[in-house]
């Protein structure tokens, strides 16, 4: 109830569309809200928009037809709408379509509260009352007779709720209706999306259409590298190439001469990032002779496939980046019981610094697989009573050295200076080798 009360205080605000979506003033005004509410999606500052985002922005700019976004699984249909809405502080009322969805799931239904019968508004009614976006995901899974019941609302007419005494809900000026689906509403001719139904033509005709595919390869490569800097750039690129080949197999469009059959699963951007994350987390398994990339592949995607498809995915992985995997395994398995990266490594260093005694020596060791996927780089720092010493270079040739006197270190503390510099290197993609650290 408190969340609903919060919606009463929403106030609209004119914004500059360029500043909101690209941080560059454009002079084009777009209406949003002054403050977010509990129903406003959280902003992901690292989210990367696609070219098709402009269609959704145009839709948000003008109070026009409802929006229908279609495309393959995991291509970002829902997240695009929600991230654009988040930047306008738009409340989003979300529901997922399915074969047993009823109109009351959208409009609302009677319920018992404190022993009394009360009416609880559904996402459609809430969006119409308070001026939000009603977002129906997987709308092509909804029976066409249910979705056709939305026709009058999609035309801009009020919503009549018979279950609440015939209440007439007039659409708020900021009300928007958006739907996402894997098909364009004309049914599934590919056989890839079981349960998708052909929608009523009169219903489908009311929408502005937007097709959304997977992000461009360069966008996905940058996204993977940005999220997981400890992975070599070349390896990130190969993982994206692998994901795109799997997508082609899924669509029956593979250019491979050996893998001609279509498969029943595919990579979304979501599962690609999961694969990259697990590859980083499973790096310590390399010292046991377990390949982190294929081990993570199973747990990110391949375990959902049949045995035949899983074998095909493994064969494809072996053909596409065996040398890169061997290099990554070699780096991770050079006698280290544990490898830390990202925030885990930063947290370790923070604890290390808190336990360090100023006036005594301490040493940390970092390593990075370079972009060519073969060579490794070393970075060794030592905090001494008189200052901080650095040694860095390629593995086996760490001959670059620098020394910083105590009085030029941060707060005249060599340990603090070393922590700051080491954290910076970790954010650049270096791994921490705790076993080689000492105090």
């Amino acid at each position: 109830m408190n969340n609903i009360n919060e919606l009463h205080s929403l106030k609209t605000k004119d914004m500059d569309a360029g500043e909101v979506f690209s941080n560059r003033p454009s002079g084009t005004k777009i209406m949003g809200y002054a403050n977010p509410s509990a129903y406003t999606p959280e902003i992901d500052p690292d989210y990367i928009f696609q070219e098709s985002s402009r269609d959704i922005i145009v839709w948000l700019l003008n109070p026009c037809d409802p929006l229908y976004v279609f495309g393959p699984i995991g291509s970002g249909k829902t997240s695009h709408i929600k991230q654009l809405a988040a930047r306008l502080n738009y409340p989003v009322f979300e529901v997922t379509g399915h074969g047993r969805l009823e109109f009351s799931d959208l409009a609302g239904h009677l319920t018992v509260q404190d022993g009394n019968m009360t009416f609880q508004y559904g996402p459609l009614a809430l969006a119409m009352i308070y001026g939000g976006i009603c977002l129906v995901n997987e709308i092509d899974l909804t029976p066409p007779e249910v979705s056709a019941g939305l026709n009058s609302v999609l035309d801009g007419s009020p919503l009549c709720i018979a279950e609440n005494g015939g209440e007439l809900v007039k659409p708020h000026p900021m009300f928007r209706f958006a739907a996402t689906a894997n098909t364009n509403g004309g049914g599934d001719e590919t056989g890839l999306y079981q349960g998708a139904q052909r929608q009523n033509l009169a219903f489908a005709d009311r929408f502005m259409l937007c097709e959304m595919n997977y992000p461009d390869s360069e966008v996905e490569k940058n996204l993977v590298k940005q999220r997981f800097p400890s992975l070599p750039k070349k390896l990130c690129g190969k993982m994206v190439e692998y994901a795109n080949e799997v997508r082609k197999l899924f669509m029956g469009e593979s250019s491979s001469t050996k893998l001609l059959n279509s498969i029943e699963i595919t990579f979304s951007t979501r599962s690609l990032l999961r694969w990259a994350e697990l590859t980083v987390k499973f790096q310590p398994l390399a010292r046991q002779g377990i390949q982190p990339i294929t081990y993570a592949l199973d747990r990110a995607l391949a375990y959902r496939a049949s045995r035949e498809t899983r074998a095909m995915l493994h064969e494809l992985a072996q053909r596409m980046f065996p040398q890169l995997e061997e290099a990554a395994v070699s780096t991770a398995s050079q006698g280290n019981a544990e490898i830390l990266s990202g925030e885990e490594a930063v947290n370790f260093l923070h604890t290390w610094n808190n336990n360090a005694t100023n006036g005594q020596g301490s040493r940390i060791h970092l390593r990075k697989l370079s972009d060519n996927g073969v060579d490794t780089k070393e970075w060794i720092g030592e905090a001494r009573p008189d200052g901080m010493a650095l040694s860095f270079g390629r593995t086996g040739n760490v001959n670059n050295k620098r020394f910083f006197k105590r009085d030029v270190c941060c707060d005249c503390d060599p340990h603090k200076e070393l922590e700051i510099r080491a954290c910076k290197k970790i954010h650049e993609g270096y791994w921490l080798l705790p076993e080689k650290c000492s105090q």
Side-chain angles (χ1 to χ4, degrees):
M1 182 61 69
N2 290 335
N3 290 341
I4 297 297
N5 290 337
E6 184 181 356
L7 295 173
H8 288 285
S9 61
L10 288 178
K11 294 182 179 180
T12 59
K13 177 183 178 182
D14 276 332
M15 303 181 182
D16 185 287
E19 288 184 352
V20 171
F21 299 124
S22 63
N23 294 321
R24 294 191 299 269
S26 64
T28 301
K29 296 299 181 182
I30 187 170
M31 188 72 75
Y33 286 97
N35 298 296
S37 70
Y39 293 92
T40 302
E42 291 188 10
I43 293 178
D44 179 356
D46 299 322
Y47 192 81
I48 299 177
F49 292 102
Q50 299 183 35
E51 189 174 321
S52 50
S53 303
R54 64 189 177 198
D55 294 348
I56 304 176
I57 293 173
V58 169
W59 172 72
L60 286 167
L61 276 167
N62 304 289
C64 54
D65 294 333
L67 178 70
Y68 189 109
V69 183
F70 68 97
I73 61 172
S75 55
K77 300 179 292 295
T78 298
S79 60
H80 263 66
I81 294 173
K82 293 174 71 173
Q83 282 302 308
L84 289 171
R87 285 154 174 78
L88 295 172
N89 294 324
Y90 239 111
V92 176
F93 304 92
E94 194 173 2
V95 66
T96 299
H98 53 81
R100 299 181 64 181
L101 185 75
E102 299 180 354
F103 194 77
S104 60
D105 294 321
L106 298 170
H109 56 84
L110 289 168
T111 185
V112 177
Q113 289 186 350
D114 299 327
N116 299 314
M117 292 294 294
T118 59
F119 187 82
Q120 182 174 328
Y121 291 111
L124 173 62
L126 289 171
M128 294 182 71
I129 293 170
Y130 297 107
I133 297 175
C134 178
L135 176 58
V136 183
N137 293 309
E138 314 293 351
I139 200 168
D140 56 352
L141 300 181
T142 304
E145 61 270 18
V146 174
S147 53
L150 291 166
N151 284 355
S152 61
V153 170
L154 300 183
D155 285 337
S157 299
L159 169 67
C160 182
I161 307 178
E163 292 85 350
N164 198 31
E167 180 184 4
L168 202 63
V169 178
K170 294 183 179 180
H172 190 284
M174 296 284 283
F175 166 63
R176 301 285 188 274
F177 186 95
T180 67
N182 295 128
T183 71
N184 63 1
D188 178 26
E189 297 178 351
T190 67
L192 300 175
Y193 304 107
Q194 295 185 10
Q197 302 187 47
R198 185 179 183 87
Q199 296 298 308
N200 182 287
L201 183 60
F203 169 75
D205 188 55
R206 286 169 161 81
F207 287 90
M208 167 186 165
L209 298 176
C210 173
E211 183 176 16
M212 185 167 291
N213 290 305
Y214 295 114
D216 178 84
S217 293
E218 286 302 315
V219 172
E220 284 195 320
K221 289 176 187 178
N222 291 335
L223 179 60
V224 174
K225 185 60 181 172
Q226 178 182 336
R227 294 281 182 90
F228 309 103
S230 61
L231 291 177
K233 183 178 180 180
K234 193 170 182 179
L235 180 57
C236 293
K238 277 294 182 182
M239 295 177 82
V240 172
E241 289 178 26
Y242 179 90
N244 283 329
E245 190 63 29
V246 171
R247 290 161 181 168
K248 292 177 182 177
L249 284 167
F250 179 68
M251 301 297 294
E253 301 172 352
S254 176
S255 59
S256 170
T257 58
K258 293 184 178 180
L259 305 174
L260 299 177
N261 298 325
S262 61
I263 58 177
E264 73 277 12
I265 61 171
T266 190
F267 265 103
S268 63
T269 301
R270 180 173 52 241
S271 54
L272 172 62
L273 292 174
R274 183 187 306 129
W275 182 27
E277 179 182 10
L278 293 176
T279 297
V280 172
K281 289 183 176 179
F282 289 131
Q283 283 296 327
L285 294 178
R287 74 183 192 277
Q288 302 175 21
I290 299 173
Q291 295 182 333
I293 294 175
T294 49
Y295 189 87
L297 175 64
D298 283 337
R299 284 145 185 83
L301 180 73
Y303 274 157
R304 293 202 299 270
S306 64
R307 290 187 178 181
E308 293 78 8
T309 296
R310 186 180 170 203
M312 187 183 295
L313 293 174
H314 279 234
E315 178 188 347
L316 181 62
Q318 291 170 4
R319 290 198 296 108
M320 287 193 68
F321 43 88
Q323 293 180 346
L324 282 172
E325 172 131 18
E326 289 170 6
V329 169
S330 173
T331 299
S333 60
Q334 293 180 20
N336 302 306
E338 185 180 16
I339 294 174
L340 300 180
S341 63
E343 290 304 314
E344 287 183 317
V346 170
N347 290 337
F348 177 93
L349 286 180
H350 184 64
T351 302
W352 164 87
N353 188 52
N354 286 341
N355 293 332
T357 302
N358 203 351
Q360 294 184 359
S362 57
R363 179 178 187 272
I364 63 174
H365 194 123
L366 305 178
R367 180 175 292 157
K368 181 184 181 183
L369 191 65
S370 61
D371 290 344
N372 63 17
V374 178
D375 299 321
T376 54
K377 299 177 181 178
E378 305 279 347
W379 190 95
I380 303 167
E382 294 184 72
R384 304 171 181 173
D386 58 340
M388 182 194 67
L390 295 181
S391 302
F392 53 94
R394 295 197 179 279
T395 299
N397 190 28
V398 187
N399 57 5
N400 296 309
K401 299 182 183 296
R402 294 187 66 185
F403 183 78
F404 301 85
K405 292 183 178 180
R406 184 184 185 91
D407 58 358
V408 300
C409 293
C410 182
D411 295 336
C412 295
D413 184 348
H415 294 91
K416 188 172 183 179
E417 181 71 26
L418 183 55
E419 178 189 1
I420 292 172
R421 290 179 178 270
C423 287
K424 182 179 179 180
K425 285 295 178 182
I426 288 171
H427 288 132
E428 292 175 1
Y430 278 75
W431 296 332
L432 174 68
L433 310 180
E435 194 176 64
K436 293 192 175 184
C437 297
S438 62
Q439 289 185 354

